[in-house]
PDB file of all heavy atoms in Angstrom:
ATOM      1  N   GLY A   1       6.759   1.920 -30.971  1.00 95.00           N
ATOM      2  CA  GLY A   1       7.442   3.155 -30.912  1.00 95.00           C
ATOM      3  C   GLY A   1       6.632   4.355 -31.339  1.00 95.00           C
ATOM      4  O   GLY A   1       6.688   5.437 -30.677  1.00 95.00           O
ATOM      5  N   LEU A   2       5.900   4.211 -32.430  1.00 95.00           N
ATOM      6  CA  LEU A   2       5.084   5.381 -32.949  1.00 95.00           C
ATOM      7  C   LEU A   2       4.056   5.784 -31.885  1.00 95.00           C
ATOM      8  O   LEU A   2       3.786   6.940 -31.648  1.00 95.00           O
ATOM      9  CB  LEU A   2       4.474   5.086 -34.266  1.00 95.00           C
ATOM     10  CG  LEU A   2       5.489   4.907 -35.358  1.00 95.00           C
ATOM     11  CD1 LEU A   2       4.797   4.298 -36.661  1.00 95.00           C
ATOM     12  CD2 LEU A   2       6.230   6.084 -35.675  1.00 95.00           C
ATOM     13  N   GLU A   3       3.385   4.793 -31.301  1.00 96.00           N
ATOM     14  CA  GLU A   3       2.383   5.018 -30.267  1.00 96.00           C
ATOM     15  C   GLU A   3       2.995   5.668 -29.073  1.00 96.00           C
ATOM     16  O   GLU A   3       2.454   6.597 -28.398  1.00 96.00           O
ATOM     17  CB  GLU A   3       1.673   3.770 -29.868  1.00 96.00           C
ATOM     18  CG  GLU A   3       0.476   3.908 -29.001  1.00 96.00           C
ATOM     19  CD  GLU A   3      -0.151   2.549 -28.614  1.00 96.00           C
ATOM     20  OE1 GLU A   3       0.349   1.481 -28.945  1.00 96.00           O
ATOM     21  OE2 GLU A   3      -1.169   2.639 -27.850  1.00 96.00           O
ATOM     22  N   ALA A   4       4.213   5.287 -28.718  1.00 96.00           N
ATOM     23  CA  ALA A   4       4.970   5.815 -27.628  1.00 96.00           C
ATOM     24  C   ALA A   4       5.209   7.352 -27.826  1.00 96.00           C
ATOM     25  O   ALA A   4       4.960   8.094 -26.853  1.00 96.00           O
ATOM     26  CB  ALA A   4       6.284   5.138 -27.399  1.00 96.00           C
ATOM     27  N   LEU A   5       5.602   7.752 -29.012  1.00 95.00           N
ATOM     28  CA  LEU A   5       5.795   9.183 -29.268  1.00 95.00           C
ATOM     29  C   LEU A   5       4.521   9.968 -29.171  1.00 95.00           C
ATOM     30  O   LEU A   5       4.560  10.988 -28.497  1.00 95.00           O
ATOM     31  CB  LEU A   5       6.359   9.357 -30.701  1.00 95.00           C
ATOM     32  CG  LEU A   5       7.856   9.043 -30.930  1.00 95.00           C
ATOM     33  CD1 LEU A   5       8.195   9.165 -32.347  1.00 95.00           C
ATOM     34  CD2 LEU A   5       8.665   9.966 -30.006  1.00 95.00           C
ATOM     35  N   GLU A   6       3.489   9.485 -29.734  1.00 95.00           N
ATOM     36  CA  GLU A   6       2.160  10.214 -29.685  1.00 95.00           C
ATOM     37  C   GLU A   6       1.670  10.336 -28.295  1.00 95.00           C
ATOM     38  O   GLU A   6       1.345  11.403 -27.794  1.00 95.00           O
ATOM     39  CB  GLU A   6       1.093   9.494 -30.547  1.00 95.00           C
ATOM     40  CG  GLU A   6       1.416   9.689 -32.044  1.00 95.00           C
ATOM     41  CD  GLU A   6       1.604  11.096 -32.459  1.00 95.00           C
ATOM     42  OE1 GLU A   6       0.736  12.009 -32.097  1.00 95.00           O
ATOM     43  OE2 GLU A   6       2.611  11.420 -33.190  1.00 95.00           O
ATOM     44  N   SER A   7       1.694   9.245 -27.528  1.00 96.00           N
ATOM     45  CA  SER A   7       1.246   9.251 -26.110  1.00 96.00           C
ATOM     46  C   SER A   7       2.125  10.149 -25.211  1.00 96.00           C
ATOM     47  O   SER A   7       1.652  10.891 -24.414  1.00 96.00           O
ATOM     48  CB  SER A   7       1.237   7.842 -25.520  1.00 96.00           C
ATOM     49  OG  SER A   7       0.267   7.041 -26.218  1.00 96.00           O
ATOM     50  N   ALA A   8       3.499  10.054 -25.489  1.00 96.00           N
ATOM     51  CA  ALA A   8       4.427  10.904 -24.642  1.00 96.00           C
ATOM     52  C   ALA A   8       4.106  12.412 -24.897  1.00 96.00           C
ATOM     53  O   ALA A   8       4.113  13.151 -23.954  1.00 96.00           O
ATOM     54  CB  ALA A   8       5.807  10.539 -25.036  1.00 96.00           C
ATOM     55  N   LYS A   9       3.891  12.721 -26.125  1.00 93.00           N
ATOM     56  CA  LYS A   9       3.657  14.183 -26.419  1.00 93.00           C
ATOM     57  C   LYS A   9       2.334  14.667 -25.795  1.00 93.00           C
ATOM     58  O   LYS A   9       2.250  15.825 -25.374  1.00 93.00           O
ATOM     59  CB  LYS A   9       3.582  14.358 -27.944  1.00 93.00           C
ATOM     60  CG  LYS A   9       4.937  14.281 -28.572  1.00 93.00           C
ATOM     61  CD  LYS A   9       4.840  14.378 -30.100  1.00 93.00           C
ATOM     62  CE  LYS A   9       6.162  14.097 -30.767  1.00 93.00           C
ATOM     63  NZ  LYS A   9       6.045  14.150 -32.234  1.00 93.00           N
ATOM     64  N   GLN A  10       1.309  13.815 -25.652  1.00 95.00           N
ATOM     65  CA  GLN A  10       0.064  14.116 -25.057  1.00 95.00           C
ATOM     66  C   GLN A  10       0.138  14.122 -23.554  1.00 95.00           C
ATOM     67  O   GLN A  10      -0.374  15.015 -22.873  1.00 95.00           O
ATOM     68  CB  GLN A  10      -1.034  13.184 -25.466  1.00 95.00           C
ATOM     69  CG  GLN A  10      -1.436  13.373 -26.964  1.00 95.00           C
ATOM     70  CD  GLN A  10      -2.403  12.335 -27.412  1.00 95.00           C
ATOM     71  OE1 GLN A  10      -2.846  11.480 -26.639  1.00 95.00           O
ATOM     72  NE2 GLN A  10      -2.787  12.302 -28.685  1.00 95.00           N
ATOM     73  N   LEU A  11       0.704  13.135 -22.979  1.00 96.00           N
ATOM     74  CA  LEU A  11       0.780  12.882 -21.534  1.00 96.00           C
ATOM     75  C   LEU A  11       1.941  13.429 -20.782  1.00 96.00           C
ATOM     76  O   LEU A  11       1.862  13.716 -19.578  1.00 96.00           O
ATOM     77  CB  LEU A  11       0.589  11.328 -21.220  1.00 96.00           C
ATOM     78  CG  LEU A  11      -0.577  10.716 -21.864  1.00 96.00           C
ATOM     79  CD1 LEU A  11      -0.560   9.179 -21.645  1.00 96.00           C
ATOM     80  CD2 LEU A  11      -1.876  11.278 -21.147  1.00 96.00           C
ATOM     81  N   VAL A  12       3.073  13.495 -21.442  1.00 95.00           N
ATOM     82  CA  VAL A  12       4.337  13.993 -20.920  1.00 95.00           C
ATOM     83  C   VAL A  12       4.617  13.345 -19.503  1.00 95.00           C
ATOM     84  O   VAL A  12       4.606  14.015 -18.504  1.00 95.00           O
ATOM     85  CB  VAL A  12       4.420  15.517 -20.816  1.00 95.00           C
ATOM     86  CG1 VAL A  12       5.895  16.005 -20.470  1.00 95.00           C
ATOM     87  CG2 VAL A  12       3.961  16.203 -22.116  1.00 95.00           C
ATOM     88  N   PRO A  13       4.911  12.041 -19.554  1.00 97.00           N
ATOM     89  CA  PRO A  13       5.206  11.367 -18.263  1.00 97.00           C
ATOM     90  C   PRO A  13       6.574  11.844 -17.690  1.00 97.00           C
ATOM     91  O   PRO A  13       7.393  12.367 -18.457  1.00 97.00           O
ATOM     92  CB  PRO A  13       5.306   9.912 -18.689  1.00 97.00           C
ATOM     93  CG  PRO A  13       5.794   9.944 -20.149  1.00 97.00           C
ATOM     94  CD  PRO A  13       5.093  11.158 -20.691  1.00 97.00           C
ATOM     95  N   ASN A  14       6.735  11.764 -16.454  1.00 97.00           N
ATOM     96  CA  ASN A  14       8.058  12.102 -15.800  1.00 97.00           C
ATOM     97  C   ASN A  14       9.115  11.059 -16.224  1.00 97.00           C
ATOM     98  O   ASN A  14      10.229  11.458 -16.556  1.00 97.00           O
ATOM     99  CB  ASN A  14       7.969  11.998 -14.255  1.00 97.00           C
ATOM    100  CG  ASN A  14       7.034  12.985 -13.715  1.00 97.00           C
ATOM    101  OD1 ASN A  14       6.121  12.634 -12.963  1.00 97.00           O
ATOM    102  ND2 ASN A  14       7.162  14.295 -14.025  1.00 97.00           N
ATOM    103  N   VAL A  15       8.710   9.798 -16.347  1.00 98.00           N
ATOM    104  CA  VAL A  15       9.679   8.754 -16.680  1.00 98.00           C
ATOM    105  C   VAL A  15       8.995   7.772 -17.694  1.00 98.00           C
ATOM    106  O   VAL A  15       7.844   7.431 -17.581  1.00 98.00           O
ATOM    107  CB  VAL A  15      10.084   7.876 -15.407  1.00 98.00           C
ATOM    108  CG1 VAL A  15      10.983   6.735 -15.773  1.00 98.00           C
ATOM    109  CG2 VAL A  15      10.742   8.774 -14.382  1.00 98.00           C
ATOM    110  N   MET A  16       9.801   7.373 -18.689  1.00 98.00           N
ATOM    111  CA  MET A  16       9.411   6.385 -19.674  1.00 98.00           C
ATOM    112  C   MET A  16      10.231   5.161 -19.533  1.00 98.00           C
ATOM    113  O   MET A  16      11.494   5.287 -19.589  1.00 98.00           O
ATOM    114  CB  MET A  16       9.435   6.943 -21.056  1.00 98.00           C
ATOM    115  CG  MET A  16       9.038   5.947 -22.152  1.00 98.00           C
ATOM    116  SD  MET A  16       9.234   6.583 -23.869  1.00 98.00           S
ATOM    117  CE  MET A  16       7.870   7.710 -23.925  1.00 98.00           C
ATOM    118  N   LEU A  17       9.646   3.981 -19.336  1.00 98.00           N
ATOM    119  CA  LEU A  17      10.349   2.739 -19.369  1.00 98.00           C
ATOM    120  C   LEU A  17      10.252   2.252 -20.815  1.00 98.00           C
ATOM    121  O   LEU A  17       9.073   1.906 -21.268  1.00 98.00           O
ATOM    122  CB  LEU A  17       9.738   1.697 -18.403  1.00 98.00           C
ATOM    123  CG  LEU A  17       9.717   2.180 -16.903  1.00 98.00           C
ATOM    124  CD1 LEU A  17       9.030   1.117 -16.088  1.00 98.00           C
ATOM    125  CD2 LEU A  17      11.136   2.475 -16.421  1.00 98.00           C
ATOM    126  N   LEU A  18      11.359   2.181 -21.502  1.00 97.00           N
ATOM    127  CA  LEU A  18      11.302   2.008 -22.976  1.00 97.00           C
ATOM    128  C   LEU A  18      12.204   0.816 -23.412  1.00 97.00           C
ATOM    129  O   LEU A  18      13.379   0.752 -23.189  1.00 97.00           O
ATOM    130  CB  LEU A  18      11.873   3.259 -23.601  1.00 97.00           C
ATOM    131  CG  LEU A  18      11.953   3.456 -25.107  1.00 97.00           C
ATOM    132  CD1 LEU A  18      10.604   3.237 -25.781  1.00 97.00           C
ATOM    133  CD2 LEU A  18      12.560   4.784 -25.481  1.00 97.00           C
ATOM    134  N   ASP A  19      11.542  -0.092 -24.075  1.00 96.00           N
ATOM    135  CA  ASP A  19      12.200  -1.247 -24.648  1.00 96.00           C
ATOM    136  C   ASP A  19      13.005  -0.740 -25.912  1.00 96.00           C
ATOM    137  O   ASP A  19      12.484   0.111 -26.589  1.00 96.00           O
ATOM    138  CB  ASP A  19      11.172  -2.333 -25.026  1.00 96.00           C
ATOM    139  CG  ASP A  19      11.843  -3.641 -25.550  1.00 96.00           C
ATOM    140  OD1 ASP A  19      13.074  -3.820 -25.390  1.00 96.00           O
ATOM    141  OD2 ASP A  19      11.053  -4.514 -26.069  1.00 96.00           O
ATOM    142  N   ILE A  20      14.135  -1.396 -26.139  1.00 93.00           N
ATOM    143  CA  ILE A  20      14.870  -0.916 -27.325  1.00 93.00           C
ATOM    144  C   ILE A  20      14.216  -1.530 -28.589  1.00 93.00           C
ATOM    145  O   ILE A  20      14.084  -0.912 -29.647  1.00 93.00           O
ATOM    146  CB  ILE A  20      16.364  -1.345 -27.221  1.00 93.00           C
ATOM    147  CG1 ILE A  20      17.044  -0.376 -26.256  1.00 93.00           C
ATOM    148  CG2 ILE A  20      17.056  -1.241 -28.642  1.00 93.00           C
ATOM    149  CD1 ILE A  20      18.513  -0.628 -26.025  1.00 93.00           C
ATOM    150  N   ASN A  21      13.870  -2.845 -28.530  1.00 92.00           N
ATOM    151  CA  ASN A  21      13.328  -3.480 -29.720  1.00 92.00           C
ATOM    152  C   ASN A  21      11.787  -3.380 -29.735  1.00 92.00           C
ATOM    153  O   ASN A  21      11.150  -4.121 -28.973  1.00 92.00           O
ATOM    154  CB  ASN A  21      13.779  -4.930 -29.777  1.00 92.00           C
ATOM    155  CG  ASN A  21      15.261  -5.076 -29.893  1.00 92.00           C
ATOM    156  OD1 ASN A  21      15.797  -4.418 -30.756  1.00 92.00           O
ATOM    157  ND2 ASN A  21      15.940  -5.896 -29.126  1.00 92.00           N
ATOM    158  N   LEU A  22      11.312  -2.510 -30.615  1.00 94.00           N
ATOM    159  CA  LEU A  22       9.889  -2.226 -30.722  1.00 94.00           C
ATOM    160  C   LEU A  22       9.472  -2.290 -32.140  1.00 94.00           C
ATOM    161  O   LEU A  22      10.248  -1.895 -33.038  1.00 94.00           O
ATOM    162  CB  LEU A  22       9.520  -0.884 -30.204  1.00 94.00           C
ATOM    163  CG  LEU A  22       9.745  -0.676 -28.677  1.00 94.00           C
ATOM    164  CD1 LEU A  22       9.608   0.878 -28.331  1.00 94.00           C
ATOM    165  CD2 LEU A  22       8.734  -1.434 -27.870  1.00 94.00           C
ATOM    166  N   PRO A  23       8.231  -2.661 -32.462  1.00 93.00           N
ATOM    167  CA  PRO A  23       7.711  -2.498 -33.788  1.00 93.00           C
ATOM    168  C   PRO A  23       7.477  -1.062 -34.137  1.00 93.00           C
ATOM    169  O   PRO A  23       7.263  -0.213 -33.298  1.00 93.00           O
ATOM    170  CB  PRO A  23       6.378  -3.321 -33.790  1.00 93.00           C
ATOM    171  CG  PRO A  23       6.000  -3.391 -32.372  1.00 93.00           C
ATOM    172  CD  PRO A  23       7.309  -3.284 -31.553  1.00 93.00           C
ATOM    173  N   GLY A  24       7.523  -0.717 -35.475  1.00 89.00           N
ATOM    174  CA  GLY A  24       7.269   0.645 -35.883  1.00 89.00           C
ATOM    175  C   GLY A  24       8.469   1.544 -35.863  1.00 89.00           C
ATOM    176  O   GLY A  24       8.892   2.034 -36.910  1.00 89.00           O
ATOM    177  N   MET A  25       8.953   1.732 -34.712  1.00 94.00           N
ATOM    178  CA  MET A  25      10.188   2.623 -34.488  1.00 94.00           C
ATOM    179  C   MET A  25      10.860   2.066 -33.240  1.00 94.00           C
ATOM    180  O   MET A  25      10.217   1.807 -32.192  1.00 94.00           O
ATOM    181  CB  MET A  25       9.648   4.023 -34.253  1.00 94.00           C
ATOM    182  CG  MET A  25      10.724   5.016 -33.883  1.00 94.00           C
ATOM    183  SD  MET A  25       9.988   6.664 -33.580  1.00 94.00           S
ATOM    184  CE  MET A  25      10.205   7.458 -35.167  1.00 94.00           C
ATOM    185  N   ASN A  26      12.188   1.798 -33.304  1.00 94.00           N
ATOM    186  CA  ASN A  26      12.812   1.237 -32.125  1.00 94.00           C
ATOM    187  C   ASN A  26      13.008   2.242 -31.006  1.00 94.00           C
ATOM    188  O   ASN A  26      12.813   3.443 -31.243  1.00 94.00           O
ATOM    189  CB  ASN A  26      14.124   0.527 -32.528  1.00 94.00           C
ATOM    190  CG  ASN A  26      15.270   1.464 -32.907  1.00 94.00           C
ATOM    191  OD1 ASN A  26      15.485   2.434 -32.245  1.00 94.00           O
ATOM    192  ND2 ASN A  26      16.022   1.108 -33.950  1.00 94.00           N
ATOM    193  N   GLY A  27      13.346   1.752 -29.874  1.00 95.00           N
ATOM    194  CA  GLY A  27      13.461   2.607 -28.715  1.00 95.00           C
ATOM    195  C   GLY A  27      14.527   3.618 -28.798  1.00 95.00           C
ATOM    196  O   GLY A  27      14.386   4.730 -28.235  1.00 95.00           O
ATOM    197  N   LEU A  28      15.682   3.390 -29.460  1.00 95.00           N
ATOM    198  CA  LEU A  28      16.636   4.397 -29.652  1.00 95.00           C
ATOM    199  C   LEU A  28      16.116   5.528 -30.516  1.00 95.00           C
ATOM    200  O   LEU A  28      16.372   6.686 -30.189  1.00 95.00           O
ATOM    201  CB  LEU A  28      17.913   3.763 -30.298  1.00 95.00           C
ATOM    202  CG  LEU A  28      18.659   2.743 -29.487  1.00 95.00           C
ATOM    203  CD1 LEU A  28      19.794   2.153 -30.343  1.00 95.00           C
ATOM    204  CD2 LEU A  28      19.192   3.281 -28.234  1.00 95.00           C
ATOM    205  N   GLN A  29      15.410   5.270 -31.537  1.00 96.00           N
ATOM    206  CA  GLN A  29      14.758   6.235 -32.335  1.00 96.00           C
ATOM    207  C   GLN A  29      13.769   7.083 -31.606  1.00 96.00           C
ATOM    208  O   GLN A  29      13.646   8.329 -31.667  1.00 96.00           O
ATOM    209  CB  GLN A  29      14.100   5.695 -33.619  1.00 96.00           C
ATOM    210  CG  GLN A  29      15.088   5.007 -34.554  1.00 96.00           C
ATOM    211  CD  GLN A  29      14.353   4.176 -35.617  1.00 96.00           C
ATOM    212  OE1 GLN A  29      13.489   3.362 -35.261  1.00 96.00           O
ATOM    213  NE2 GLN A  29      14.770   4.379 -36.842  1.00 96.00           N
ATOM    214  N   VAL A  30      12.948   6.382 -30.794  1.00 96.00           N
ATOM    215  CA  VAL A  30      11.947   7.072 -29.891  1.00 96.00           C
ATOM    216  C   VAL A  30      12.678   8.048 -28.991  1.00 96.00           C
ATOM    217  O   VAL A  30      12.290   9.155 -28.863  1.00 96.00           O
ATOM    218  CB  VAL A  30      11.103   6.115 -29.153  1.00 96.00           C
ATOM    219  CG1 VAL A  30      10.295   6.744 -28.023  1.00 96.00           C
ATOM    220  CG2 VAL A  30      10.246   5.248 -30.067  1.00 96.00           C
ATOM    221  N   ALA A  31      13.799   7.575 -28.316  1.00 96.00           N
ATOM    222  CA  ALA A  31      14.454   8.420 -27.408  1.00 96.00           C
ATOM    223  C   ALA A  31      15.049   9.665 -28.020  1.00 96.00           C
ATOM    224  O   ALA A  31      14.914  10.769 -27.537  1.00 96.00           O
ATOM    225  CB  ALA A  31      15.580   7.566 -26.692  1.00 96.00           C
ATOM    226  N   ARG A  32      15.693   9.457 -29.219  1.00 95.00           N
ATOM    227  CA  ARG A  32      16.255  10.596 -29.969  1.00 95.00           C
ATOM    228  C   ARG A  32      15.166  11.590 -30.325  1.00 95.00           C
ATOM    229  O   ARG A  32      15.364  12.779 -30.096  1.00 95.00           O
ATOM    230  CB  ARG A  32      16.953  10.082 -31.265  1.00 95.00           C
ATOM    231  CG  ARG A  32      18.367   9.690 -31.083  1.00 95.00           C
ATOM    232  CD  ARG A  32      19.090   9.473 -32.414  1.00 95.00           C
ATOM    233  NE  ARG A  32      19.866   8.310 -32.194  1.00 95.00           N
ATOM    234  CZ  ARG A  32      19.527   7.097 -32.654  1.00 95.00           C
ATOM    235  NH1 ARG A  32      18.443   6.834 -33.231  1.00 95.00           N
ATOM    236  NH2 ARG A  32      20.411   6.034 -32.425  1.00 95.00           N
ATOM    237  N   THR A  33      14.044  11.095 -30.795  1.00 95.00           N
ATOM    238  CA  THR A  33      12.972  11.980 -31.188  1.00 95.00           C
ATOM    239  C   THR A  33      12.423  12.770 -30.017  1.00 95.00           C
ATOM    240  O   THR A  33      12.196  13.963 -30.169  1.00 95.00           O
ATOM    241  CB  THR A  33      11.862  11.193 -31.933  1.00 95.00           C
ATOM    242  OG1 THR A  33      12.425  10.446 -33.037  1.00 95.00           O
ATOM    243  CG2 THR A  33      10.756  12.116 -32.426  1.00 95.00           C
ATOM    244  N   LEU A  34      12.235  12.101 -28.903  1.00 93.00           N
ATOM    245  CA  LEU A  34      11.743  12.797 -27.694  1.00 93.00           C
ATOM    246  C   LEU A  34      12.686  13.813 -27.246  1.00 93.00           C
ATOM    247  O   LEU A  34      12.277  14.881 -26.799  1.00 93.00           O
ATOM    248  CB  LEU A  34      11.453  11.793 -26.625  1.00 93.00           C
ATOM    249  CG  LEU A  34      10.183  10.902 -26.776  1.00 93.00           C
ATOM    250  CD1 LEU A  34      10.072   9.924 -25.684  1.00 93.00           C
ATOM    251  CD2 LEU A  34       8.941  11.821 -26.767  1.00 93.00           C
TER     252      LEU A  34
END
């Protein structure tokens, strides 16, 4: 999840395919933060 946030902020993909159960930060937390 943490890597997902950093990469998303740098790359800004149109679509993110996101698993809910992730190490570091779960997918729901990633979605809320994004």
Side-chain angles (χ1 to χ4, degrees):
L2 296 172
E3 185 182 5
L5 281 177
E6 289 307 311
S7 293
K9 288 174 185 175
Q10 291 174 3
L11 302 171
V12 191
N14 299 125
V15 177
M16 178 184 285
L17 301 178
L18 181 60
D19 187 11
I20 288 181
N21 294 315
L22 294 168
M25 176 183 262
N26 73 41
L28 295 173
Q29 294 167 313
V30 171
R32 270 189 224 100
T33 303
L34 284 175

